[in-house]
Amino acid sequence: MKLSLVDSLAQGIIAFSATPSPSAGENGLRPGLSPDQVTPGFLGFVMTAFMVIAVVMLMVSMTGRFRRMRYRAQVSEAGGEGPALPGARSAEQSGDDPAQQAD
């Protein structure tokens, strides 16, 4: 009994999956459509190219930021002989004495 139930379910699934709705025409498209109506065209190509260029630029920028962050972490772990940030000045370079600032 179980085998016949499984067989009938399998046959039903195959029957539903074998007949597409709506049925395709002679060239594989729905009746009334031509191949140039379902292609993305020039605008689709331009938008896809724009998205690819934007993603590549974001990845390059992110990689540079990660490298900068890793370098700054290595400098701070090494003892911080130089300023960790570009343009930042240490107390010795600026001429300010931290003891004088506390007063």
Side-chain angles (χ1 to χ4, degrees), residues 11 14 24-25 37 42 44 47 53 71 74-76 79 83 89 97:
Q11 288 175 355
I14 291 171
Q37 291 176 325
F42 181 71
M47 293 304 295
I53 291 169
Y71 173 73
Q74 288 174 348
V75 167
S76 66
R89 296 169 43 182
D97 187 13

Side-chain angles (χ1 to χ4, degrees), residues 1-102:
M1 172 122 180
K2 283 185 177 182
L3 188 59
S4 63
L5 178 65
V6 171
D7 285 338
S8 62
L9 283 174
Q11 288 175 355
I13 291 172
I14 291 171
F16 282 121
S17 65
T19 56
S21 175
S23 61
E26 70 232 14
N27 57 0
L29 297 174
R30 191 173 66 205
L33 287 178
S34 64
D36 62 334
Q37 291 176 325
V38 294
T39 60
F42 181 71
L43 182 62
F45 170 76
V46 168
M47 293 304 295
T48 303
F50 172 75
M51 293 299 291
V52 167
I53 291 169
V55 167
V56 168
M57 289 175 60
L58 285 171
M59 289 173 56
V60 168
S61 174
M62 183 180 64
T63 302
R65 290 180 187 272
F66 282 157
R67 285 182 181 165
R68 226 176 295 138
M69 191 171 51
R70 188 179 322 134
Y71 173 73
R72 289 178 183 164
Q74 288 174 348
V75 167
S76 66
E77 286 177 1
E81 295 175 6
L85 298 174
R89 296 169 43 182
S90 64
E92 296 138 3
Q93 291 175 338
S94 64
D96 296 335
D97 187 13
Q100 291 176 352
Q101 289 179 355

